[in-house]
Amino acid sequence: MKSFHPPQRTLMGPGPSDVSPRVLEAMARPTIGHLDPVFVSMMDEVKALLKYAFMTQNELTMPVSAPGSAGMETCFVNLVEPGDKVIVCQNGVFGGRMKENVERCGAIPVMVQGEWGRAIDPQQLEEALKANGDAKIVAFVHAETSTGAISDAKTLTEIAHRHGCLVIADAVTSLGGSPVKVDEWKLDAIYSGTQKCLSCTPGLSPVSFSDAAVEKIRNRKTKVQSWFLDLNLVMGYWGANAKRAYHHTAPINALYGLHEALVILEEEGLENAWARHDKHHLALRAGIEAMGLQFVVPEGERLPQLNAIAIPDGVDDARVRGMLLSDWQLEIGAGLGAMAGKVWRIGLMGHACNARNVLLCLSAMEDVLTRLNAPVKKGAALEAATKALG
Ligand SMILES: *Cc1c(COP(=O)(O)O)cnc(C)c1O
């Protein structure tokens, strides 16, 4: 065996996205003890930076030491008690995972089934809440990475609160790419991931909990069934004025990486980061449409950071992605769940969201698709995208 040297790819799938060299360099710095006072003060900075990213004053804001799925699980196992009724809005793959979580908590999921590729319909949530007066929690995915649709988190939360429910929101793909305003929208529990628009390596999940959520967690009748994710215990390590007693060994170097990724986000400014995602999405869109390909999600419900493109009839999905990878060192995503084989998912996330990648992706797609005799218009995409970039 020899050392492993990965190839240099361009990551334009649903995550992980390209990691900034600044983040990789930060992660290569010396490992120190996780209770070292210098490390503990860095943890405080990570918490402050996450509050900035989530636009919240929530005291309980921190990264869970595991990927986005563990952030999801942290929200459910802490807030849901056996027998609780939980309304789950589903418009893609990740809403299905929320249902799984509810069931495994011994609770009762009530599904609001939306159309895949569309935003969640607030009216449908309203009706489900009217029919289920005893529901305690509403859960939804803000940015459905499996379809590329964004939902109106503010309106969904208003409706849930009007019916006396707490809200759990998945912001894995939205954070850093689209507005996520935890305090203004009054979200109660939210989780994200590091490898999407934060452009850090995978393996951490930023979470934030409102005072109402913390109160519910403190007053549980039953113990949280997961020892590792029980926030009552984790708070002793990450909490404000906590004694920083040993709970688990923090992934020290991964946290250096997150710290750097958040410093980069703060330097750019949230509003500028959102505007950059919008701008490059529009340029990609101009090129894609000039080529004769089509978006799956209707305009107005599209995520700028995740572009689902319909695969033309007769085109071999896996072959196209394989050629993009081998000939162009470019990774784009396949369809997931009900959309498998029907769409490509092109990510423009964080550090990967730039003009070079838009033009690279369009050139590579045009090259591969014309070589495979797919029905695309040649020579129009780059001009359209360049014009949109201004
Ligand atoms: C990627 C993703 C997750 C899961 O995150 P992992 O880090 O892969 O565990 C959850 N929800 C959404 C919407 C995602 O895009």
Side-chain angles (χ1 to χ4, degrees), residues 14 67-70 72 94 97 141 143-145 170 172-173 191 195-196:
S69 305
M72 179 188 282
F94 291 100
R97 292 191 178 179
V141 178
E144 241 309 343
T145 325
D170 177 318
V172 175
T173 284
Y191 59 93
Q195 78 277 27
K196 313 233 173 165

Side-chain angles (χ1 to χ4, degrees), residues 235-266:
M235 279 186 254
Y237 185 53
W238 274 100
N241 312 315
K243 286 206 284 295
R244 305 291 179 153
Y246 170 65
H247 175 262
H248 66 281
T249 310
I252 294 155
N253 293 54
L255 287 167
Y256 299 165
L258 177 58
H259 184 278
E260 189 66 18
L262 292 168
V263 166
I264 293 171
L265 180 64
E266 197 196 31

Side-chain angles (χ1 to χ4, degrees), residues 65-385:
S65 302
S69 305
M72 179 188 282
E73 197 139 345
T74 300
C75 291
F76 283 91
V77 296
N78 281 280
L79 283 176
V80 178
E81 290 204 70
D84 282 356
K85 203 181 248 190
V86 181
I87 311 265
V88 176
C89 305
Q90 180 174 16
N91 60 344
V93 166
F94 291 100
R97 292 191 178 179
M98 288 179 151
K99 174 173 184 267
E100 274 285 324
N101 270 274
V102 172
E103 286 168 352
R104 285 163 195 242
C105 291
I108 306 145
V110 175
M111 300 305 288
V112 172
Q113 288 293 353
E115 204 181 315
W116 287 45
R118 298 296 310 267
I120 294 155
D121 177 6
Q123 195 54 41
Q124 259 182 284
L125 172 62
E126 181 90 55
E127 278 155 26
L129 283 162
K130 277 188 191 144
N132 294 277
D134 52 346
K136 300 239 168 85
I137 290 171
V138 168
F140 62 83
V141 178
H142 182 215
E144 241 309 343
T145 325
S146 65
T147 68
I150 187 157
S151 290
D152 182 350
K154 181 168 184 262
T155 301
L156 296 172
T157 303
E158 273 167 14
I159 295 169
H161 284 169
R162 227 187 314 113
H163 290 268
C165 288
L166 292 180
V167 168
I168 297 176
D170 177 318
V172 175
T173 284
S174 42
L175 189 68
S178 306
V180 176
K181 303 183 176 181
V182 170
D183 285 2
E184 197 182 313
W185 298 348
K186 301 188 166 61
L187 297 161
D188 295 294
I190 189 159
Y191 59 93
S192 189
T194 43
Q195 78 277 27
K196 313 233 173 165
C197 294
L198 297 181
S199 277
C200 188
T201 52
L204 293 171
S205 178
V207 295
S208 185
F209 294 85
S210 70
D211 291 345
V214 171
E215 194 179 304
K216 176 145 198 264
I217 296 167
R218 290 226 161 96
N219 295 314
R220 284 178 64 100
K221 291 187 269 311
T222 54
K223 262 190 179 180
V224 172
Q225 85 256 21
S226 162
W227 177 84
F228 184 66
L229 300 176
D230 183 346
L231 287 169
N232 290 302
L233 305 176
V234 176
M235 279 186 254
Y237 185 53
W238 274 100
N241 312 315
K243 286 206 284 295
R244 305 291 179 153
Y246 170 65
H247 175 262
H248 66 281
T249 310
I252 294 155
N253 293 54
L255 287 167
Y256 299 165
L258 177 58
H259 184 278
E260 189 66 18
L262 292 168
V263 166
I264 293 171
L265 180 64
E266 197 196 31
E267 281 172 7
E268 180 176 23
L270 279 175
E271 285 83 2
N272 293 333
W274 303 334
R276 177 167 52 82
H277 284 84
D278 284 338
K279 174 182 166 179
H280 293 94
H281 156 72
L282 290 177
L284 180 76
R285 171 199 166 171
I288 286 286
E289 290 180 348
M291 225 189 282
L293 298 172
Q294 267 158 13
F295 274 70
V296 174
V297 176
E299 199 172 347
E301 298 175 19
R302 288 178 194 157
L303 276 170
Q305 60 274 54
L306 197 285
N307 299 267
I309 314 292
I311 300 176
D313 283 342
V315 173
D316 184 342
D317 167 30
R319 180 122 190 259
V320 170
R321 285 183 291 106
M323 285 167 73
L324 290 172
L325 195 64
S326 62
D327 302 353
W328 286 83
Q329 302 297 321
L330 172 66
E331 178 178 283
I332 66 165
L336 210 58
M339 292 205 163
K342 297 189 185 137
V343 303
W344 290 310
R345 292 182 300 152
I346 302 178
L348 280 170
M349 297 184 176
H351 187 64
C353 179
N354 57 55
R356 170 201 172 270
N357 281 1
V358 168
L359 299 178
L360 173 89
C361 180
L362 292 169
S363 308
M365 298 262 303
E366 186 176 306
D367 168 58
V368 167
L369 289 170
T370 38
R371 276 197 279 147
L372 292 174
N373 296 317
V376 290
K377 189 158 167 236
K378 219 180 155 191
L382 285 191
E383 197 188 322

Side-chain angles (χ1 to χ4, degrees), residues 6-19:
Q8 187 71 53
R9 310 274 204 214
T10 299
L11 300 180
M12 298 181 74
S17 61
D18 283 340
V19 177

